[in-house]
Amino acid sequence: RAFSTGHYPLGTDMRMAVVADADDVARLLTDLGYPCELDEASERISAIAGNDRQALVVARRDGAVVGLIALDFMYYLPLGTTTCRVTALVVTPTAQGLGIGRALLKEAERRARVGGAARIELTSGAQRTEAHAFYRACGYKDSSVRFVKLLGA
């Protein structure tokens, strides 16, 4: 099952986020550049928890939440198979460089395989050059250009 637990580096554990993690999730999303209030984080965690095609995993180091990764499993028509998309990945500034990001990606890849995904993908803003170097170092390749159009109310 895509949402079971795995093995992690010493001092680190990972688990599915719960509403009690809302303060940490709000802080991490804000760190990522997506300001989020506590009530919004609670709603988002609940929405993901209620969707069997999504996962929100938090990483803890010595009991403190230091990172998260969000996954979305979707059927990808052009390839005729399931793709796992990383929709968010963030590690607190104080925990960066400790292997937490790599562990979160490995956990995402493990869950993707178990969930039947043929591939895993992520997008990253053009300005996030350090993140791009990190993803390349983790074996990810540049793939495509993404276009976005915001839809008004």
Side-chain angles (χ1 to χ4, degrees):
R1 185 159 152 75
F3 306 122
S4 61
T5 59
H7 301 284
Y8 315 106
L10 186 63
T12 303
D13 66 87
M14 295 186 199
R15 62 169 170 73
M16 295 292 285
V18 295
V19 173
D21 296 315
D23 55 341
D24 293 313
V25 170
R27 176 180 43 84
L28 287 163
L29 289 175
T30 299
D31 286 351
L32 189 58
Y34 298 93
C36 183
E37 298 295 326
L38 180 64
D39 59 333
E40 294 171 320
S42 294
E43 290 173 14
R44 294 173 192 185
I45 293 167
S46 294
I48 289 174
N51 184 331
D52 66 352
R53 301 304 291 161
Q54 293 191 343
L56 177 57
V57 177
V58 293
R60 298 184 313 158
R61 186 165 185 88
D62 300 324
V65 173
V66 295
L68 68 76
I69 194 161
L71 308 175
D72 185 13
F73 289 77
M74 61 184 185
Y75 180 77
Y76 192 67
L77 179 65
L79 297 178
T81 189
T82 299
T83 291
C84 178
R85 174 173 281 178
V86 175
T87 61
L89 171 60
V90 60
V91 174
T92 60
T94 57
Q96 290 176 5
L98 301 177
I100 305 296
R102 282 184 189 272
L104 283 163
L105 279 177
K106 284 182 189 247
E107 177 63 8
E109 292 163 12
R110 186 191 70 76
R111 289 173 184 256
R113 283 185 190 96
V114 172
R119 68 183 200 155
I120 189 166
E121 67 179 29
L122 56 86
T123 58
S124 181
Q127 76 282 7
R128 298 184 190 273
T129 54
E130 288 182 20
H132 302 168
F134 168 72
Y135 296 134
R136 288 181 191 110
C138 291
Y140 289 73
K141 308 271 185 253
D142 295 45
S143 173
S144 61
V145 176
R146 182 172 114 171
F147 297 90
V148 175
K149 181 177 184 179
L150 298 180
L151 303 175

